[in-house]
Amino acid sequence: MMKLNRRKVLMGGLAMAGMPRFAKAKDDGFLELAAFETQMQLVEGEYPKTAVWGFNGSVPGPLLGGVQGERMRVRLRNELTENTAVHWHGMRVKNAMDGVPGMTMQAVPPQGSFDYEISLRDAGTYWYHSHNRSLKQVSKGLYGIVVARESSPLDVDHDLVVVLDDWRLSPDAQITDDFGNMHDLSHAGRLGNYIHAVVDPLPTHFAANQRVRLRFVNTATDRIMPLALQGVEGWIVARDGMPLARPEAMDQITLGPAERVDAIVDVTAEAGGEVLLAFREGDQGYVLAETPVLAGARARRAPVEALPPNPITNITSVADARAVPMVMEGGAMGGLRGATFKGENMDMRALVQEGQVWAVNGVAGLPDAPLFEASLEETVVLNMQNDTAFPHAMHMHGTHFQEVLPDGSFGPHKDTVLMMRGEQRAFAFVADNPGKWLIHCHMLSHQTAGMKTWFKVS
Ligand SMILES: [Cu+2]
């Protein structure tokens, strides 16, 4: 069995879990989401407060959402000193609401604002984050969670969001400003030294046999999170917001940047015990959250059932699909000789000077022409191939894709997938959302350094 030690964080000190502030709607129905710098007690103990960039003065920002089918209106106000924009990760929004500066909207300047109107088409766990200078802005804290609840509530005793992040802090607990240094960009990204979980709402205790829904979100810019739970037994019921056709028995959870998992767990620890969430690294674990367990009278319940499906098309065949190769290259130890950047052929030296060291199909950075143009309702298969020495968390905007499995069946709907070194996997989707959409690595260091492309649906 895995050994867990009581060291809460990698750099020492205590992990803290808190609750973000709620957003209140204005008379016109818009929730205000103001981006500004603030001070936050990120690390407890004798550490000073950390200067962060948050929404409405907290990291994570306010929990947004509602009931599936409702409409969400959010007014982003930029009170920073640089441009920003908000992307709704995993939400199948209209293209104009996708929040990508230069592609779907203009970046919001300081003192500017932008009105987002979003239908909660799908139930599930999603998140929002800055999509402008995103490596820096997400590192500083510009993100929050969106929960779209099922129209009939589940029979659970707690419904908790577990927000995971990885901060790179100086000895006085300040975010280091070495964003985008070439070592981070060309290797595994900006890995931090303080892994932190915020549980919202934070329960004071569980009772034995209680049933708990846990919505895990990895908001880290680059860190893959291997997680383990003790004192519970459970099932994974959704990935990246989308319900699984059949719940999977939960063992360990590994979340790449931006990935989510919804789990429903029963508290198996007895009274006097505790439920632990740990970041697991090899045989060692670091406790991120612990909750005591009190006596409970309720008997354990029936097995967990699948959540009701979301209204997204299930792939049934890829026989007539358009196949699109997507080869990821570059990075340290990647053997990339050169690539095209801004229409110019460059050798590796020139690419390094431009800060562009990753490429998709031989192109670093966003090309002028889309990777492909799909007609509405066309089925597309992305044949991804990771020809680099690092894993990549490949994310597609606009809709979810399903892996084409070797036996010809299709995997769960996902919006982000962890492609390990050397892997070759195919992902199919129906191009049912018109507009211009990004595909990029959600290791934001890699995205910054060139691993991104786009496609068009018309
Ligand atoms: Cu990557």
Side-chain angles (χ1 to χ4, degrees):
M1 195 176 159
M2 181 182 75
K3 266 189 297 180
L4 288 177
N5 68 34
R6 293 291 161 152
R7 190 150 64 101
K8 298 271 181 55
V9 292
L10 302 182
M11 62 180 272
L14 289 166
M16 183 206 66
M19 199 190 298
R21 275 164 36 181
F22 288 101
K24 283 209 184 97
K26 301 264 172 205
D27 289 345
D28 59 5
F30 277 85
L31 297 165
E32 198 159 88
L33 200 59
F36 55 88
E37 178 164 330
T38 187
Q39 300 278 328
M40 178 178 148
Q41 195 70 49
L42 181 66
V43 189
E44 277 188 346
E46 70 275 32
Y47 290 95
K49 287 186 172 182
T50 303
V52 297
W53 289 5
F55 290 113
N56 295 6
S58 72
V59 182
L63 182 61
L64 300 179
V67 177
Q68 181 178 20
E70 284 180 355
R71 185 171 277 265
M72 189 169 84
R73 293 181 175 86
V74 177
R75 179 162 299 140
L76 168 65
R77 292 191 66 82
N78 184 0
E79 295 170 17
L80 301 166
T81 52
E82 63 183 51
N83 291 354
T84 194
V86 167
H87 167 60
W88 307 91
H89 186 113
M91 303 186 75
R92 297 187 296 135
V93 299
K94 289 210 159 59
N95 196 237
M97 298 291 121
D98 197 41
V100 179
M103 180 164 283
T104 70
M105 67 181 284
Q106 304 244 292
V108 180
Q111 306 312 315
S113 73
F114 187 88
D115 287 354
Y116 292 94
E117 286 206 54
I118 287 164
S119 294
L120 301 174
R121 291 170 75 184
D122 299 310
T125 306
Y126 304 92
W127 66 300
Y128 60 95
H129 61 80
S130 164
H131 217 295
N132 193 62
R133 292 190 172 185
S134 48
L135 172 59
K136 173 185 172 189
Q137 294 195 0
V138 176
S139 291
K140 281 179 163 281
L142 287 174
Y143 61 79
I145 309 302
V146 178
V147 168
R149 300 189 299 277
E150 293 80 12
S151 47
S152 41
L154 301 190
D155 178 23
V156 293
D157 300 299
H158 296 272
D159 186 336
L160 310 177
V161 175
V162 183
V163 188
L164 300 147
D165 200 357
D166 173 33
W167 301 78
R168 185 182 287 178
L169 300 176
S170 62
D172 60 346
Q174 299 309 303
I175 299 167
T176 65
D177 64 359
D178 53 341
F179 305 107
N181 69 70
M182 187 42 70
H183 186 273
D184 287 350
L185 294 184
S186 59
H187 290 74
R190 180 184 168 90
L191 301 179
N193 50 6
Y194 180 64
I195 293 170
H196 180 71
V198 172
V199 181
D200 177 27
L202 181 64
T204 54
H205 64 272
F206 294 125
N209 300 323
Q210 274 189 328
R211 182 160 277 188
V212 183
R213 180 176 189 163
L214 297 167
R215 304 168 182 269
F216 295 98
V217 185
N218 182 359
T219 66
T221 57
D222 295 275
R223 170 83 71 178
I224 297 169
M225 298 275 185
L227 302 170
L229 285 153
Q230 274 187 9
V232 297
E233 199 175 276
W235 295 264
I236 293 175
V237 292
R239 291 185 185 276
D240 293 355
M242 296 291 177
L244 301 181
R246 254 173 251 100
E248 297 167 11
M250 186 181 73
D251 182 19
Q252 237 199 272
I253 299 172
T254 299
L255 288 180
E259 285 189 305
R260 287 91 65 213
V261 151
D262 281 40
I264 295 179
V265 302
D266 289 333
V267 176
T268 51
E270 289 174 7
E274 59 197 346
V275 172
L276 296 180
L277 167 68
F279 174 87
R280 186 191 164 153
E281 220 174 28
D283 286 341
Q284 289 288 307
Y286 304 102
V287 176
L288 296 170
E290 55 192 317
T291 307
V293 174
L294 307 182
R298 297 182 68 167
R300 294 185 61 188
R301 275 162 288 198
V304 165
E305 286 173 20
L307 301 176
N310 279 329
I312 184 170
T313 308
N314 278 303
I315 302 281
T316 51
S317 165
V318 289
D320 301 316
R322 169 203 297 254
V324 178
M326 246 191 94
V327 181
M328 292 108 78
E329 298 170 293
M333 300 165 283
L336 182 68
R337 294 248 180 95
T340 304
F341 176 60
K342 290 187 175 164
E344 223 182 292
N345 290 322
M346 294 189 180
D347 61 14
M348 204 57 195
R349 235 180 113 120
L351 288 171
V352 167
Q353 261 164 16
E354 297 284 352
Q356 299 292 307
V357 293
W358 303 94
V360 174
N361 293 0
V363 181
L366 219 49
D368 287 336
L371 181 68
F372 60 93
E373 262 189 80
S375 40
L376 202 59
E377 302 300 333
E378 190 176 359
T379 302
V380 178
V381 175
L382 297 171
N383 289 306
M384 290 193 199
Q385 188 176 326
N386 180 356
D387 277 356
T388 79
F390 293 89
H392 300 287
M394 300 309 291
H395 170 49
M396 187 174 75
H397 289 217
T399 191
H400 282 51
F401 45 57
Q402 289 176 270
E403 184 164 7
V404 184
L405 296 166
D407 67 357
S409 65
F410 301 98
H413 293 274
K414 295 272 295 164
D415 59 55
T416 307
V417 64
L418 204 47
M419 287 286 296
M420 304 312 281
R421 166 185 191 158
E423 272 188 345
Q424 212 172 326
R425 294 158 68 186
F427 300 91
F429 68 98
V430 176
D432 58 3
N433 202 352
K436 296 174 172 181
W437 305 102
L438 285 179
I439 304 177
H440 64 87
C441 181
H442 220 287
M443 280 138 177
L444 297 179
S445 298
H446 296 169
Q447 179 205 21
T448 301
M451 194 175 283
K452 55 190 154 200
T453 187
W454 65 287
F455 67 100
K456 196 173 168 182
V457 179
S458 45

